[in-house]
Amino acid sequence: MGTNPVLVVHGGAWAIPDEFAERSILGVKNAVKSGFAVLEMGGSSMKAVEIAVRALEDDTVFDAGHGAVLNADGYVELDAIIMNGKTLAAGAVSCIRNISNPVAFACSVLEKTPYVMLTGMGANQFAEKLGIPQVPVEELVTDHAKAEWEQYRKYKQTVKSLFNTELVHDTVGAVAIDCEGNMVCATSTGGITNKMVGRVGDTPVIGSGGYADNLVGAVSATGHGESIMKVTLARLILFHMEQGDPGSNFCPGAGTCAWVSCILALSDLHTTRSSMYGSLHYCAEVGEQPPLRHRLLKSPPEPVEAFLQALG
């Protein structure tokens, strides 16, 4: 008997500006509809998450593709990952420019190279060989991104001031289980406003911005990349799931906290069929000192909870 297909999509962990709230909800719903249509027709989870994330990359309300933020030099640099839980094959791209759908490019890396990640100029050169369309810089730069870039000219100020404030948009992602029980994750981002040129966050890093394993589950993470990478968050969550811990493990401690939202699909370890899906939320301390402290939570904090309720 086949597995009931599941698709879960997210549009970021940061607070949603009031002016973008309605468009954000609509964008996530459209992405779900587009991706789930593939699963309903018996298509693969790989294609479903690619279609879903591409829909989010094409929507300027999200920090991915056409809606990406600007780095310190005022350019768009994009990261993305996709991972196949059946084979553990992954494809990722980082610091790419002039490509509106990084997730599709990441798929090409997975399918057409023996590598996991391509970055920078070399990645763009490979995209040219594949005939992947490149778009003018102006097509990927929105008025909102320009205004945000002008307002926050220092990366540290951006992280401390904007995290959990209703001023920014964020990374997108999706996880899916198809009718054959195969799991896939995909994550795509433009990073954080005024990031250093060449900065790579968690998104394209296997085990941090995403991870998929048919025997355990699939995760797409979003939030403060440096905090996520310090604990390889995506793989950490699946490790706890594999151990039967749904989120009680934590290291106590106070400090400046950043909420990192993760979505996952959890497989039954014995049948490899979907038995659970939903969201976990993670608290990580931002900054170098004191040392990073983290915990997994069973329920989302505000304002994430309000958004989930709005989704219905």
Side-chain angles (χ1 to χ4, degrees):
M1 184 175 66
T3 300
N4 291 328
V6 173
L7 174 67
V8 187
V9 171
H10 73 75
W14 299 47
I16 301 169
D18 290 339
E19 63 192 279
F20 290 163
E22 186 174 344
R23 286 178 56 200
S24 295
I25 294 171
L26 181 61
V28 169
K29 287 183 176 180
N30 287 339
V32 169
K33 290 178 182 177
S34 298
F36 197 70
V38 174
L39 296 176
E40 285 185 311
M41 296 178 64
S44 70
S45 49
M46 179 72 71
K47 180 56 67 174
V49 298
E50 180 190 352
I51 293 296
V53 173
R54 285 185 64 170
L56 296 170
E57 291 173 338
D58 289 339
D59 193 328
T60 58
V61 77
F62 301 107
D63 177 16
H66 288 86
V69 298
L70 307 181
N71 66 15
D73 282 357
Y75 289 96
V76 170
E77 287 185 318
L78 304 170
D79 306 329
I81 191 170
I82 189 165
M83 184 170 182
N84 187 331
K86 180 179 180 180
T87 62
L88 301 187
V93 293
S94 67
C95 292
I96 60 170
R97 297 187 178 187
N98 303 93
I99 294 176
S100 58
N101 292 118
V103 71
F105 188 15
C107 283
S108 296
V109 173
L110 186 158
E111 295 169 353
K112 299 179 181 181
T113 80
Y115 310 117
V116 170
M117 184 188 296
L118 295 180
T119 188
M121 185 181 299
N124 275 96
Q125 290 174 347
F126 183 62
E128 289 181 14
K129 290 182 180 179
L130 293 179
I132 295 176
Q134 298 198 29
V135 299
V137 173
E138 296 75 19
E139 185 174 324
L140 301 179
V141 179
T142 65
D143 290 339
H144 178 79
K146 291 179 183 177
E148 188 177 283
W149 182 73
E150 290 290 347
Q151 184 174 1
Y152 296 93
R153 297 301 297 270
K154 293 183 178 180
Y155 173 80
K156 288 184 178 180
Q157 179 186 4
T158 302
V159 173
K160 293 179 180 179
S161 300
L162 297 187
F163 217 104
N164 264 347
T165 64
E166 295 185 359
L167 296 173
V168 294
H169 49 187
D170 193 26
T171 297
V172 303
V175 297
I177 308 170
D178 59 30
C179 61
E180 295 183 359
N182 295 323
M183 298 186 181
V184 173
C185 72
T187 311
S188 180
T189 191
I192 300 176
T193 298
N194 283 306
K195 63 184 181 180
M196 181 183 292
V197 177
R199 176 264 188 182
V200 178
D202 67 290
T203 292
V205 179
I206 188 170
S208 291
Y211 200 83
D213 183 344
N214 275 12
L215 297 180
V216 188
V219 173
S220 171
T222 170
H224 184 246
E226 281 69 22
S227 296
I228 292 174
M229 286 189 286
K230 289 175 183 177
V231 294
T232 56
L233 179 60
R235 189 64 187 92
L236 176 68
I237 287 174
L238 292 184
F239 169 78
H240 286 297
M241 292 294 142
E242 197 170 11
Q243 301 303 309
D245 180 358
S248 61
N249 180 70
F250 70 95
C251 299
T256 303
C257 291
W259 294 110
V260 181
S261 176
C262 305
I263 58 176
L264 62 97
L266 178 64
S267 169
D268 183 306
L269 293 177
H270 300 291
T271 66
T272 68
R273 291 197 174 96
S274 168
S275 60
M276 168 185 169
Y277 64 95
S279 61
L280 281 183
H281 301 268
Y282 175 85
C283 177
E285 186 167 331
V286 176
E288 296 302 322
Q289 297 294 335
L292 184 74
R293 301 182 178 93
H294 57 88
R295 57 175 171 157
L296 298 175
L297 304 174
K298 294 182 181 180
S299 60
E302 293 287 356
V304 180
E305 188 173 44
F307 178 61
L308 293 176
Q309 291 175 349
L311 281 176

